[in-house]
Amino acid sequence: MGQIVCAWQAAIGGARGLRVNSGFARMAQLFPQYTNTLARIALPCLALGFSVVAWAVHAAWFSSYATEVNTPVEQPVPFSHQHHVAGLGIDCRYCHTSVETSAFAGLPPTETCMTCHSQVWRDAPILGPVRESWTTGRRLRWKRVHDLPDYVYFNHSIHVQEGIACVSCHGRVDRMPLMAKQHSLYMRWCLDCHRAPERHVQPMSEVFVMRDEPAQAAAASRLASRGELRGESPPIFERGRQAVREKAVRDTRLEDCSICHR
Amino acid sequence: MALTAQRCEQVTDRLSGLVLREPLRRGWLAGFALAFALLMLLNVAIPWLLIRGVGIWGVNIPVAWGFAIVNFVWWIGIGHAGTFISAILLLLHQQWRTSINRFTEAMTLFAVACAGLFPLLHLGRPWVFYWLLPYPDTMALWPQWRSPLVWDVFAVTTYLTVSLIFWFIGLVPDLATMRDRAERPWMRVVYGIGALGWRNSARHWKRYEMAYLLLAGLATPLVLSVHSVVSFDFAVAIVPGWHSTIFPPYFIAGAIFSGFAMVLTLVIPVRAVYGLRDLITERHLDHAAKVMLATGLLVALGYASEQWMTWYADEPYDAFMSHNRMFGPYWPVWWTVMACNIGAAQALWWRRVRTSPALLFAVALLIQIGMWTERYMIVITSLHRDFLPSSWGMFHATVWDWATFAGSLGLFFTLLFVFIRLLPMIAIAEMRKQTTEGRE
Amino acid sequence: MSTPYRASVPTPGASPQWRSLDDLARLEGGGDEFPADASEWPDALSRRRFLQLMAGSLALAGTGACTRQPREEIVPYVRQPEALQPGQPLYFATAMELGGEAFGLLVRSDSGRPTKIEGNPAHPATLGRSSVHMQAALLTLYDPGRSQGLMKSGSPATWEDLLGTLTEQRARWQERAGAGLRLLTRRIASPTLREQIARLLTKYPQAQWHEHDAAFPAPPLPAGLRLERAEVIVSLDADFFGSGALHPRAAFDFAKRRRADHGRLYVVESTPSLTGAMADHRRALRPGELADFARGLARAVREPGAEADPWIPAIARDLTEHRGRSLVVAGEFQSPEVQASARELNEALGNVGQTIDNLPPAPGPRAAALPELARAMHSGEVEALLIFGANPAYDSPADLDFNAALEKVPFTLHHGIYFDETAGRCAWHVPESHFLESWSDARALDGTVSIVQPLIEPLYPSKSAHELFAALLGELPADGYEIVRSAWQQRPGGGGFESAWRKTLHDGIAPQTGTVSAPPAQGATTQIPPTEPAAFQASLELIIRPDPHLLDGRLAENAWLQELPKPFTKLTWGNAAHLSPRTAERLGLAHGDVAELRYRGRTVRAPLWILPGHADECVTIHLGHGRNCAGSVGSGCGFNAFALQTSEAPWGGRGLEIHKTRERHVFATTQEHQRMEGREPVRVETLGKPTTPPAEAAPAREETLYPNIDYGRPSWGMVIDLNTCIGCSACTIACQAENNIPVVGREQVLRGREMHWIRVDAYFAGSVEAPQLLHQPVPCMHCENAPCEAVCPVAATVHDHEGLNVMVYNRCIGTRYCSNNCPYKVRRFNFLSYNDTHAPQLALMRNPEVSVRMRGVMEKCTYCIQRISAARIEAEKEARPIRDGEVVPACAQACPAEAITFGDIHDPESRVAALRQSPRHYALLAELNTRPHTTYLARVRNPNPEIA
């Protein structure tokens, strides 16, 4: 080791006409003292910065901006589920007729609206588009709120059949003046139920009922899947287990890609 | 003492001078221009690939992997020589490595950069390449760990990182020298930042030596692991001609073989142009050639054992495959591989060849062609006729296949030329050290 | 784009006639792209555009993953039709006509768009099976190349304009009693249309009706074959599994017989045909020899004696031993004397009424043939020519010189689905409605009548033949529905009309319209026997046949059929002149040479295809190619064989010379190599002989590093019976229609990038002179130990719990590793953006239950997983297991021979499980221990000991 140093001094010395310390003198001018501190700070900052960026991306991805959760969508007619469901107590299936038989729950034809609105609110201005559609025969164009990618083949009828309540995915629509997504509809969110259906399934009698239990179950389930319940199972899951026992849900294949993707 | 100082000074002065004082040489300019032109070609080929899709290449069913994979394996292979020289030879106390290690480490970096390009480009949907990385995504999905391609990702990225750090640590003392000798202030600052405030105290040297040694220890297994993993891409598959247990050692030998060939094709002209014959001497060439000969024989052994296993296993598909390589539609490929990798390498038995730069250059060039063709043979002639005769087909490279390949060469040489201009291509500090040790 | 950099490698020394010539690293430039995106270098790409694209792509490369999909809309009905449920398909019975015969169909409608065609199980001609043409008819409906507007001498016009002109014309016809008025149609299956024609002919007594159908010259008489009853069948060049009117019924019945007890099929033919491939004994004779053979056979059955040909006494004995249970069929393209010998044989053997019925021709007036019309036109007798559906400007014999004749006709009107060669030469062109757009009716071979009901409003302002005829006659009603309905009202029918009408619409066939038998028809065909001048005796014989897929070119614009590999050659996007290896050797011709065919003073340049199993000293060419006004898809691929056709010998004859040119041609074929290389992918057994155990038995290796998935029930599997598969490729097209599989175009096929999920491999076994022709449909094997799954880095292809090997398109990043590792090479990759996303019509056509794959993802057979899911969901709603046969993949549904069986292999009751117990059962490449769920039943031969 020693010889290396001497070799080096010899080298620099040779370069500087044997004025051995000159090198350091110049260096001070080149970089002021505090650069050392800077360098020391820089290292942890880099590590910190990286994790901050990673966190930010993650947060953005799950933010309501990306997922559009709780952001009402403007519609040709400001239809209020709150009024029709909570206020008038109309059953989901009155308008969404094919929810039990088809993949698509179905949106009511103008005819359905007019069954009532030819009698009540006959000339309310907000219903103008509906009346116009009825008279002109031009169709109403609603904006999709729950829009899955085209490679996802979601089927309403089977979910309803197996006891997944409307509330579980669509939230308390009876409290929504304007329709808005309640969940990200990310695959991760779907899997939360497909991996543990017994936490979500409802008794058949409550599928079309607007209640909070499914939401609570879902919340608990998310905690559970994050392992924050430390294995203990909240009583809310019991309803689901009961229901699952009643109609043997084939949950072996629920995680198969082919269940949703073709 | 004074003598040593003088000699050290000379070395330092010459090597740093190559960067700091050397005027732009016409040779350098011409070379750089050519390399840059090829790089621009890559600059067209890649966007076009992204616009149209991998269909612009010759790949098809059954030959779904083409030039991209061939080039990937070839470049990765070339990278190996650098790490081998700087890490393994260091641990083996091979002094002669000193004058070429910096250069070959740079070569490694650039080669791995080129190699890393291809697996990404050859994807059908390159913009979702990050699905290969494990991260908590919105789909709650992870990569499929059984696939060698996932192993590749980790192998190559690790390799790149370690080689980069290794190279940089090695550079630190020299950057300090450059800093001290640069005339223009801004250059001093730039080099100074790189030098990380190296003040050459014994403590610095102690840490430096330790770090360098540790990294060498870290890099050594990588030399073996990376190309083993790359070879798994083939060995794991059931394709006749791929599904073979000898691939890892045989690939590593091949890698170092082609790597040293590349080292020589680069070093021989450089030492001529920059008059470094006294630093990179015939002795260095001789050593490199010997390594090449040794690894070349290993490769030959690989070919031989492949044939022998085919015969011994008496497996109809394998038998057909090896026959098809020799006499099938792609027969010239096989014979080229044999001629270059086994035939040409034998010339290295003669000292005259090993020590005459011209001949050595020629042999090295042949070997590189041979090794590229070998990868072509492995990838394409294995795929084009596999199990069901009804699905047999042919691969025909398109303009864009060649453009991308040439482009990657352009990238490699551009980086190399820039490196020669901006950094000392020979490790100054180590040379000094050697000189002094030479004295005592 | 041309690729100068193809690996410059000579080809190996394999015997030339077997190896395809794409091996020679030559790829000719140009080529028909479909869609335009599929080309590496788009035509006419400006520098500016190129740079724009590049810039765009760099942006894409960065942000491609994080773009938000556009806000979609839901547009509900104003009044929702009853029985329609959004998201649930509906099925309607209808019928299509081909060659003057009806084929009953069942068509799926997804939210008002017909998306899939199947056979109607109630219909005698289809029995629920289908053919390539029935499947491909869907694409014709949505084809962007269809004629989209009424044209008057090349410029757009309106229906009213035409009506005006017709009133004038009618006046003229009136005063001249129709003299000079001629109708030209294809063979017609619609009783209503025949009635309309009859009315026209009575209204204008001097008018004449001509019939021209280049693909179906005559009804395939004697028609009513009962193949399921025939134990010994002799085919004299009768390709009843081919594209004729008998297929697919013939295949169905034949398969039924083969499954029961094998029976025996002798085929004597000149060109390898699907029927020949099924034969227990196949003999290749050129037409001249074939006639002698037929005569000899008839003689041998009459009075058995010494025959020069050892086959004749053997077959004769076999026939006489099976009186009333045998059958002799002569091909529809054969000369009258061959037809006569066949009829004589059947009568001598007492087969008439047993295995063969003579069916009555359709009622109504008879039509004259094309030559008379041409003569009249040349002599200027014709004043008005109304062409319905036919395309004589392209598909008429060259000697008639129809185009010149057409010049002489003052008033010409063309009614057709495409603006084709004839349309371009006629004063008026009226776009024809597709049968899925219009009302009509159609009569099947046996007299069964069905109503053709539309599933969608006409996409363009087109008219059906009925509506146009109504306009010609100046009749009311003018609307297709009313015309057909009123016509049916006038027919005698028991009970209330409305209920009968509704029932007929629902069932797809009218009750008791099917007639059983009739007096033996005389004069089977109206063809004149080919005259053979002595000068021709020494020369080669020319055989002209309709293309197996494009027929006489009427389907040339159908990209599915253009890209559907032809039987044996697996040739796509073009045709060739086929000749036997020996003849080629004698003449010093090589596969892929372009030669000049000179025939009776006419010449055409054609690439040569050397086809094993072809008769010596004769050359076969196929019609339907080389069109110049077919459209963007069909124009300019192949050569036009009509240039050699003569009206007196339309199906060829002696007098052909071949002159080799320097030019070479590269065929776009999907199978380059047709030897089995001793790997026996197709197993052939001999009836009676003990089944030979496969050379390499499947290893019973169970140990694996990974947990074995325990497949509960169902565990889906497929068994393909190679003994009944006739290799017609109906499965391939059905799959293409069901699964939104794109067409890639000629150049991409040349590069080996065709996309078919189920391909039909063809092999030649045995000697080059008399090879055995073998077929093998190959879909995904859905291996339990799937090699593809282990290597996918992103788990885009995985196994599910129903034993399916699932391909998740939206997860695939396109490493193509799975394809490399697939020993069956059944995976297909979107190397470029093959799916045409520009044409809105094609968007309507797609099956909404199947993802449309984007560029850069792998795809493959899914066992029609959309159908499995539908069945599973229904079953779970009813809380019951899925029944056997409830899930039918598109290929199995289409297969006319029911050779494909699908079901749960773990269900001991299922048909699949039963078939897997058969001694003929084997798995492809079983030695690789992939444990495929798609397996095969070996082919069986039942040779006649006297011949074999």
Side-chain angles (χ1 to χ4, degrees), chain B residues 345-386:
Chain B
Q346 302 316 311
L348 299 173
W349 287 105
W350 286 275
R351 201 167 190 299
R352 275 198 59 262
V353 180
R354 291 205 303 271
T355 49
S356 104
L359 289 176
L360 204 50
F361 186 74
V363 172
L365 220 50
L366 279 177
I367 287 172
Q368 292 204 55
I369 294 168
M371 285 310 290
W372 189 87
T373 324
E374 182 210 70
R375 274 59 183 260
Y376 186 96
M377 174 186 82
I378 292 172
V379 172
I380 284 152
T381 65
S382 310
L383 284 173
H384 92 115
R385 289 185 170 180
D386 65 347

Side-chain angles (χ1 to χ4, degrees), chain B residues 315-338:
Chain B
E315 214 273 319
Y317 302 113
D318 276 356
F320 175 84
M321 181 276 302
S322 64
H323 179 274
N324 184 53
R325 277 184 183 173
M326 289 180 229
F327 309 110
Y330 288 110
W331 63 268
V333 175
W334 191 85
W335 294 101
T336 313
V337 172
M338 294 306 143

Side-chain angles (χ1 to χ4, degrees), chain A residues 67-68 103-105 143-159 169-170 181-191 194 259-262, chain B residues 138-139, chain C residues 67-74 810 848 851:
Chain A
T67 61
E68 298 183 311
F104 180 52
K143 299 264 179 299
R144 255 190 183 286
V145 176
H146 297 85
D147 187 6
L148 290 169
D150 295 353
Y151 47 74
V152 178
Y153 288 86
F154 176 84
N155 185 308
H156 271 96
S157 63
I158 191 61
H159 284 82
C169 306
H170 296 288
K181 256 161 99 180
Q182 285 308 288
H183 301 288
S184 66
L185 305 192
Y186 280 155
M187 180 168 161
R188 174 179 287 277
W189 171 80
C190 299
L191 280 172
H194 271 238
I259 284 288
C260 310
H261 301 298
R262 301 168 196 160
Chain B
T138 62
M139 300 171 283
Chain C
T67 45
R68 175 177 290 176
Q69 54 178 328
R71 169 83 56 197
E72 285 181 8
E73 283 182 329
I74 307 180
N810 43 301
S851 308

